[in-house]
Amino acid sequence: MGDVTTRKSSGSTTATPAKRQRATSGSASERRDHLVKLAAEIFARKGFQATTVREIATEAGILSGSLYHHFDSKETIVDEVLSTFLDDLIARYRAALDSGSDPRTVLSEMVRIGFGTLEPHRAAITVMQNDWNYLRQFERFNYLVKAEDEVEQMWVTQIKAGQAAGQFRSDVDPKLTYRMIRDTIWVAVRWFRPGGRLNPAGLAEHYITVLFDGLATGERTSQRA
């Protein structure tokens, strides 16, 4: 019955060549994903520049030459680590923007999305912080700057929309506000530890409370005339 046919002999089942090929392909893909995750952890721990292909291979329990069967360089590996993170982040931001909700609701969701990346993309965020200036020198990483600009535009546009709708204060600078929010979220990767008192969702809700409700009580004194 095509490639799904199996042949039984002495009570055993033998997979067809097509099945074996799919299994091999699946194993190779899983192995590649494992190597990417392992390398990402090393990059985050040691820094991209300080990490060698030999170190990645050694930690993976393979020879350096075997690593080159999957990747032609460590730049290719970090490229996959960062692009996977940014593609996921931007797709989620776009979905929040396309929801049609009011600016405050959308901005709250964007905060949740940001904090929600701390666990699944912890290594990538750390690499972005530690090696950003080095990587952006190379043409193959031009997309990092483009992604940064796109994300900033998303946030700034939403903050301005909130100001126009009367939901946000008009006396704050949208770009500066975004950058303060951005740094609060990404720097959290340095001290946030999974399994602690607050998970990413709880951390996000706490930050949203401080962001929109403030810290001080009583009459506001920071409003400019």
Side-chain angles (χ1 to χ4, degrees):
M1 303 250 332
D3 66 351
V4 298
T5 303
T6 58
R7 180 170 55 85
K8 294 183 179 179
S9 177
S10 303
S12 63
T13 301
T14 304
T16 63
K19 274 193 172 183
R20 287 196 296 271
Q21 184 177 8
R22 285 200 298 270
T24 301
S25 176
S27 298
S29 177
E30 290 173 3
R31 182 60 170 166
R32 192 177 193 278
D33 290 344
H34 170 72
L35 290 172
V36 169
K37 291 177 181 178
L38 185 148
E41 292 297 329
I42 301 174
F43 293 150
R45 185 171 70 246
K46 293 193 61 177
F48 174 75
Q49 295 180 72
T51 302
T52 65
V53 169
R54 182 184 296 275
E55 287 174 313
I56 298 172
T58 298
E59 191 147 338
I62 60 177
L63 298 174
S64 298
S66 298
L67 192 66
Y68 285 114
H69 288 307
H70 301 278
F71 309 98
D72 58 9
S73 66
K74 70 173 184 175
E75 284 76 16
T76 298
I77 304 176
V78 79
D79 195 347
E80 186 160 331
V81 171
L82 298 180
S83 62
T84 298
F85 161 58
L86 291 172
D87 287 347
D88 181 46
L89 179 70
I90 290 175
R92 291 173 183 272
Y93 279 162
R94 286 173 179 163
L97 293 171
D98 291 342
S99 68
S101 300
D102 63 272
R104 174 167 173 159
T105 299
V106 171
L107 212 66
S108 295
E109 181 59 22
M110 292 175 77
V111 169
R112 295 185 184 101
I113 290 168
F115 278 108
T117 64
L118 293 180
E119 286 188 314
H121 296 294
R122 183 191 62 79
I125 296 169
T126 303
V127 173
M128 288 274 286
Q129 290 191 349
N130 294 341
D131 297 290
W132 173 269
N133 289 331
Y134 173 76
L135 293 172
R136 66 183 295 177
Q137 301 176 73
F138 304 100
E139 186 175 353
R140 74 178 296 167
F141 294 106
N142 283 347
Y143 69 87
L144 295 178
V145 177
K146 292 179 180 178
E148 180 187 43
D149 290 344
E150 181 178 357
V151 169
E152 179 173 295
Q153 186 61 33
M154 288 178 177
W155 281 85
V156 170
T157 298
Q158 202 60 31
I159 293 170
K160 288 181 177 179
Q163 290 176 320
Q167 289 188 314
F168 304 152
R169 293 173 55 166
S170 61
D171 64 330
V172 296
D173 181 87
K175 182 175 289 190
L176 178 60
T177 301
Y178 155 68
R179 292 184 175 180
M180 294 176 74
I181 295 172
R182 175 200 64 189
D183 291 349
T184 298
I185 295 172
W186 300 142
V187 170
V189 78
R190 298 184 181 276
W191 54 263
F192 173 75
R193 291 295 177 268
R197 184 173 62 87
L198 282 177
N199 57 24
L203 197 59
E205 295 309 317
H206 182 85
Y207 183 68
I208 289 169
T209 297
V210 174
L211 177 64
F212 290 125
D213 298 339
L215 185 63
T217 60
E219 184 179 355
R220 179 183 295 163
T221 60
S222 59
Q223 182 80 40
R224 292 200 303 265

